[in-house]
Amino acid sequence: MFEGFFDVVKKRARGGAEEEYKPPMFKCPRCTQTSPLSRYEELHRVCPKCNYHGRLSSQERIAITVDKDSFKEFDGGMISANPLDFPDYTEKQAEIRSSTGLNDAVVTGTATIKGSPVVIGVMDSRYMMGSMGSVVGEKITRAFEYATENHLPVVMFTASGGARMQEGIVSLMQMAKTSGAVKLHSEAGGLYIAVMTDPTTGGVTASFASLGDIIIAEPKVLIGFAGRRVIEGTIKQRLPEDFQLAEFMFDKGFVDMIVERRKMRSVLSHLLKLHGFAPKEKEV
Amino acid sequence: MDEKKTAWERLQLIHTKGRPTIKDYLPLIFTDFYEMHGDRLYGDDKAILGGIGRLDGKPVTIIAEVKGRDINENKACNFAMPHPEGYRKALRLARQAEKFHRPIICFIDTPGAFCGVAAEERGQGEAIAKNIAEFMTLRTPIISIVLGEGGSGGALALGVCDELAMLENAEYSVLSPRGFASILWKDASREQEASEIMKLTAEDMVDLGVAEAVIEEPLGGAHNDLDKISENIKEYLSQKIAEKCQKDIDVLLKERYTKFRKIGAFSE
Ligand SMILES: [Zn+2]
């Protein structure tokens, strides 16, 4: 399930002589070219060759998006139960929690972006491919409900392989639950900015990710409803390389703007201010 | 009622040739039905049928996924797999129903939303998302019934409602058991095993809070007595529509939101 995760190619010189040392390399899943890993990391995981925006952990994303020390997490201790009594699901989750240090595939909370207050959610594809089960559904729903009650805007970074299979129909229902909360936030006049990151697919695309007042995507990221291989299986032919990339969805009219990672914080800040969410007067 | 069939047996049954479709039910449940066409944006999707008719003499809006009864019908309706324009037609008619204070009745019967290039280009994800969100706050009663297959987001796009009923042998699932087995176990041939652990039967839906009612099918399945099953569906609809129409609309909307809001299993 973790295939497609960026492929780090580490080549080490055999002899140990300094001039033979080859630095760790990053192989881009979009353009397949390699670049020094250090350069890729320096750019916050952006391919220097093609501008593909690689996957960030939720902590990294929060760190480069919100004001220092402003993030206050909601529901950090929430973990999934096993609604279908699916074999091994409980054990598997415990393992993934300990290997990723995450409790599920989304982190939510409040923060400020250049002083403007927001409710923020960041999905994390390291946790079962960012799939949406009960915890993702509940945390996102609560985040929108909090934002509605407190007249706050929501910025949601989406990244998901789709439904959490092990939660079956309960997973499907999270689409309705989250979309309902988005709708009520919208009816109350709330601003919702969705930022689609790699990959935004399946049930998340077919629910809250596509419901932003403003939909931003990072360059070259995968955005779609059906999986590429499913479609190729249906039509019995290979799809073009750019199919379902952010630029493709932009051309088709489903994305307002494609924003590079290095500009994201500033674009979000401007959009928030354009909607009246000015930095709060210094408190304390 | 039949002796309880396994999930797998029910899946076989709903895929049997002769399983009634919306086209069979329409004339037996509704009168004065007029079909309406097109999403006013792109085209008319034959996988979703919509229109206005009467139930017990009162106008209602009917939206349904259309299965074919033979290969030609199935080709025409794309095997009940809608494109975005189908969902957008559904939303257009649903908003019209709200405007004219007609209750909405949705019939779900799809393997899923169509997975293809054109569907992606026209925003399959956006179309489904929009329906789910908009149906949540439509100010008119909505009842949905799963007739056979309730496949994933393609079903949910007509499934945000005040009350959901399942025909006794119908299924509702996040993915087909075949797809499920192939994703989780990399072995599509284990679909029968998948069907038994996925919890996709009518009773499972009631247990999980996804459905509120099960509509009894005639002995051996709906195809054995079309008049009887139509009568059962009509009886259920008449009762529910009358009940929901009496409710204060704001109370109804709160209950609709809560119905979905409470589904989920977690600890903190
Ligand atoms: Zn690249």
Side-chain angles (χ1 to χ4, degrees):
Chain A
M1 263 192 149
F2 286 80
E3 70 198 315
F5 239 125
F6 52 83
D7 202 342
V8 177
V9 183
K10 288 181 182 172
K11 287 179 185 162
R12 302 217 178 265
R14 283 175 216 100
E18 220 165 280
E19 59 274 22
E20 281 180 12
Y21 173 75
K22 294 209 179 91
M25 301 295 279
F26 158 76
K27 186 181 178 199
C28 175
R30 286 283 175 272
C31 67
T32 70
Q33 298 184 79
T34 52
S35 327
L37 183 62
S38 55
R39 181 72 189 130
Y40 175 68
E41 297 286 357
E42 218 170 78
L43 296 169
H44 297 300
R45 306 206 183 167
V46 172
C47 172
K49 301 273 167 56
C50 79
N51 205 27
Y52 163 68
H53 280 46
R55 298 171 186 187
L56 292 178
S57 72
S58 38
Q59 296 99 307
E60 290 167 316
R61 176 74 67 181
I62 289 165
I64 65 169
T65 305
V66 309
D67 301 333
K68 200 165 183 297
D69 300 326
S70 72
F71 181 68
K72 292 187 185 67
E73 191 177 357
F74 293 149
D75 309 310
M78 191 188 294
I79 59 169
S80 187
N82 188 354
L84 306 190
D85 293 320
F86 195 87
D88 305 328
Y89 182 49
T90 305
E91 296 74 15
K92 189 171 180 188
Q93 297 241 54
E95 265 171 47
I96 297 172
R97 280 199 297 273
S98 76
S99 69
T100 59
L102 298 166
N103 276 343
D104 211 301
V106 72
V107 174
T108 54
T110 55
T112 57
I113 296 177
K114 297 197 179 187
S116 301
V118 291
V119 168
I120 186 170
V122 181
M123 297 189 78
D124 197 318
S125 62
R126 292 175 305 161
Y127 197 97
M128 298 186 81
M129 270 309 295
S131 56
M132 175 155 66
S134 296
V135 173
V136 171
E138 182 70 20
K139 284 171 83 167
I140 287 175
T141 301
R142 286 189 191 180
F144 275 95
E145 288 174 342
Y146 180 91
T148 305
E149 271 166 43
N150 295 280
H151 310 287
L152 287 169
V154 178
V155 174
M156 187 67 63
F157 288 86
T158 63
S160 177
R164 180 76 52 87
M165 293 298 148
Q166 294 87 342
E167 295 190 28
I169 194 75
V170 172
S171 162
L172 189 75
M173 291 301 126
Q174 305 310 309
M175 292 167 64
K177 182 163 145 177
T178 53
S179 299
V182 174
K183 185 71 199 315
L184 296 191
H185 180 251
S186 179
E187 288 203 336
L191 167 69
Y192 166 31
I193 303 175
V195 185
M196 295 180 168
T197 73
D198 201 52
T200 296
T201 62
V204 166
T205 301
S207 62
F208 62 88
S210 293
L211 295 170
D213 296 297
I214 296 172
I215 298 180
I216 297 175
E218 288 195 314
K220 302 266 165 85
V221 301
L222 179 71
I223 301 169
F225 172 65
R228 188 186 181 88
R229 269 170 297 177
V230 176
I231 300 172
E232 286 179 339
T234 309
I235 63 171
K236 312 269 183 261
Q237 63 192 53
R238 294 271 297 161
L239 289 162
E241 285 305 316
D242 68 346
F243 184 67
Q244 291 181 324
L245 294 195
E247 291 72 10
F248 174 92
M249 295 311 280
F250 177 83
D251 283 344
K252 299 298 170 194
F254 293 98
V255 168
D256 286 295
M257 49 178 134
I258 295 178
V259 174
E260 296 191 18
R261 191 165 287 165
R262 64 192 169 83
K263 294 186 183 152
M264 188 68 75
R265 176 173 148 84
S266 137
V267 168
L268 289 173
S269 158
H270 284 135
L271 290 173
L272 290 166
K273 285 173 187 154
L274 278 167
H275 289 82
F277 297 101
K280 271 195 204 151
E281 295 295 315
K282 275 262 189 307
E283 284 169 23
V284 186
Chain B
M1 204 180 282
D2 258 322
E3 261 185 60
K4 285 283 159 278
K5 293 185 177 63
T6 65
W8 183 247
E9 285 164 348
R10 295 179 202 214
L11 287 173
Q12 305 313 304
L13 197 147
I14 59 173
H15 287 104
T16 308
K17 198 168 152 56
R19 173 87 181 168
T21 71
I22 185 59
K23 298 240 169 148
D24 299 299
Y25 293 128
L26 260 181
L28 296 174
I29 298 173
F30 303 100
T31 53
D32 292 349
F33 180 71
Y34 285 89
E35 187 173 356
M36 304 291 156
H37 295 271
D39 66 348
R40 302 291 191 271
L41 297 163
Y42 177 81
D44 186 46
D45 187 350
K46 302 286 187 290
I48 290 189
L49 164 159
I52 313 164
R54 290 181 191 273
L55 176 76
D56 301 323
K58 294 192 193 80
V60 291
T61 286
I62 299 144
I63 302 169
E65 283 158 335
V66 184
K67 284 217 166 162
R69 291 165 293 192
D70 56 44
I71 186 68
N72 288 326
E73 279 191 14
N74 259 322
K75 275 186 184 158
C77 67
N78 198 33
F79 297 83
M81 292 182 283
H83 278 75
E85 51 273 23
Y87 296 118
R88 291 179 183 132
K89 169 168 70 179
L91 182 57
R92 180 177 76 82
L93 296 176
R95 283 183 174 141
Q96 192 184 76
E98 178 186 52
K99 175 177 174 186
F100 296 107
H101 309 288
R102 285 191 292 267
I104 300 167
I105 299 167
C106 293
F107 293 97
I108 295 168
D109 199 1
T110 180
F114 190 63
C115 295
V117 175
E120 292 293 316
E121 286 177 343
R122 298 201 286 274
Q124 190 71 288
E126 192 272 348
I128 294 171
K130 183 65 75 60
N131 277 24
I132 296 171
E134 295 294 319
F135 274 58
M136 194 64 84
T137 55
L138 280 173
R139 298 180 68 80
T140 193
I142 311 170
I143 303 292
S144 296
I145 300 180
V146 186
L147 295 176
E149 274 185 288
S152 199
L156 184 60
L158 300 185
V160 172
C161 56
D162 299 304
E163 192 164 319
L164 181 84
M166 304 280 297
L167 293 201
E168 184 186 336
N169 293 306
E171 63 96 4
Y172 198 1
S173 57
V174 69
L175 181 72
S176 72
R178 198 173 171 77
F180 188 91
S182 108
I183 287 185
L184 271 185
W185 304 319
K186 312 276 176 240
D187 182 0
S189 71
R190 288 170 70 185
E191 57 180 325
Q192 180 169 355
E193 188 185 341
S195 74
E196 301 298 346
I197 61 171
M198 283 174 73
K199 297 221 166 76
L200 44 69
T201 68
E203 290 79 15
D204 292 330
M205 291 311 115
V206 173
D207 289 346
L208 292 164
V210 172
E212 283 70 31
V214 179
I215 298 174
E216 196 176 314
E217 293 189 24
L219 199 66
H223 58 286
N224 279 344
D225 192 342
L226 182 62
D227 289 328
K228 181 67 189 150
I229 181 68
S230 303
E231 199 182 299
N232 292 354
I233 295 172
K234 183 161 188 247
E235 195 182 322
Y236 167 78
L237 283 173
S238 300
Q239 192 204 328
K240 284 300 154 189
I241 294 284
E243 183 188 312
K244 302 296 177 193
C245 282
Q246 278 175 358
K247 277 210 167 158
D248 178 78
I249 188 69
D250 291 308
V251 173
L252 195 69
L253 290 185
K254 204 160 266 171
E255 288 174 357
R256 188 185 301 163
Y257 183 76
T258 307
K259 164 178 157 62
F260 294 94
R261 178 69 186 84
K262 65 184 186 208
I263 302 176
F266 52 86
S267 64
E268 356 184 16

